[in-house]
Amino acid sequence: MVRRLLAVVVTAAALAGIAPGPAQAAVPRESVVGGTRAAQGEFPFMVRLSMGCGGALYSPRLVLTAAHCVSRTGTNTSITATLGAVDLQSSSRITVQSNYVYRAPGYNGNGKDWALIRLATPVTGLATLPVATNTTYNTGTFTIVGWGAATEGGAQQRYLLKATVPFVPDATCDNSYPDLIPSDEICAGYASGGVDTCQGDSGGPMFRRDASNAWIQVGIVSWGNGCARPNYPGVYTEVSTFASAIATAAASLGG
């Protein structure tokens, strides 16, 4: 299992205009491989986290990300969230510090890969991203976005990249990943490879349009074998499985 979290180096952090985070033991997901540049305001809920992960605004004060991006539940003022800009060096970007982290109870590196980061102050003027509460939208074509490398092992990106990937059935994904947890995880990608999330995209959202043509989050970037390799799709936390637990945790955090 290769987590899609980036061990941020100083040069990459400088490029992105963010402070470097602590080195991570695993090597989880970096940027969208095979993507194109997102337009300013296209995905206003997107968040870049200073430890080298992505996230999405769950509420004006909470960021939904991956459990493997954080170390534990508790007070944490060390994370900087960058929002409101596709260009991480933009003068109009918003930066807010964290004040608390909630990691999924029972997370041990297998499944349950979600966490909430509470911001010190609410963010106004940016859309939040609703999460799927059932499996209705766990099929079809999904959108993935991120600021990480555009090639496996490459450098982080200054500008937000986007791409689309198709749903991969559990039975097919299990052929590539025998340790897949179907109840906790959902797969997406092309059999031919070429388009995928990668190291540093960890924690970012995978989403699609709902019946009202609004964005809804169905996955959280979690892990995979390399990036965009043939027959190795990306593995994402299946958000609908944990929607109730996420909502309960959010309420406890005042968000």
Side-chain angles (χ1 to χ4, degrees):
M1 180 185 297
V2 180
R3 291 287 169 196
R4 297 195 163 178
L5 176 79
L6 180 62
V8 183
V9 296
V10 173
T11 52
L15 170 66
I18 55 177
Q24 305 294 324
V27 186
R29 295 200 127 176
E30 209 161 359
S31 178
V32 175
V33 177
T36 57
R37 191 176 294 186
Q40 176 61 32
E42 188 173 4
F43 307 112
F45 44 77
M46 278 301 298
V47 182
R48 180 65 174 172
L49 299 169
S50 56
M51 78 286 276
C53 280
L57 271 183
Y58 179 85
S59 73
R61 200 173 177 182
L62 296 176
V63 177
L64 181 62
T65 188
H68 74 259
C69 288
V70 298
S71 59
R72 62 179 180 84
T73 294
T75 300
N76 187 323
T77 60
S78 68
I79 301 168
T80 302
T82 300
L83 314 92
V86 294
D87 177 1
L88 291 176
Q89 294 184 18
S90 170
S91 59
S92 64
R93 71 186 185 276
I94 300 166
T95 57
V96 187
Q97 291 302 120
S98 63
N99 67 9
Y100 195 87
V101 168
Y102 182 97
R103 191 168 75 165
Y107 173 73
N108 63 3
N110 296 299
K112 299 183 177 67
D113 195 9
W114 66 270
L116 288 168
I117 295 173
R118 188 173 66 191
L119 304 177
T121 56
V123 176
T124 59
L126 294 178
T128 57
L129 180 60
V131 301
T133 57
N134 57 58
T135 60
T136 299
Y137 300 110
N138 287 3
T139 59
T141 300
F142 308 119
T143 297
I144 51 175
V145 288
W147 282 279
T151 58
E152 184 175 332
Q156 292 182 86
Q157 302 296 296
R158 171 177 170 176
Y159 298 96
L160 185 66
L161 298 180
K162 64 177 181 177
T164 57
V165 286
F167 168 70
V168 174
D170 290 341
T172 302
C173 195
D174 189 61
N175 290 331
S176 300
Y177 301 117
D179 52 352
L180 182 76
I181 305 174
S183 62
D184 288 16
E185 297 168 330
I186 180 172
C187 301
Y190 295 94
S192 58
V195 181
D196 198 3
T197 50
C198 197
Q199 283 79 30
D201 279 333
S202 282
M206 180 174 74
F207 48 97
R208 55 159 288 175
R209 296 289 186 178
D210 66 11
S212 301
N213 202 39
W215 291 123
I216 189 167
Q217 183 171 356
V218 297
I220 299 170
V221 180
S222 185
W223 62 282
N225 183 2
C227 307
R229 297 182 185 181
N231 299 312
Y232 284 105
V235 182
Y236 301 78
T237 302
E238 191 168 309
V239 171
S240 60
T241 298
F242 304 104
S244 178
I246 292 169
T248 298
S252 74
L253 296 173

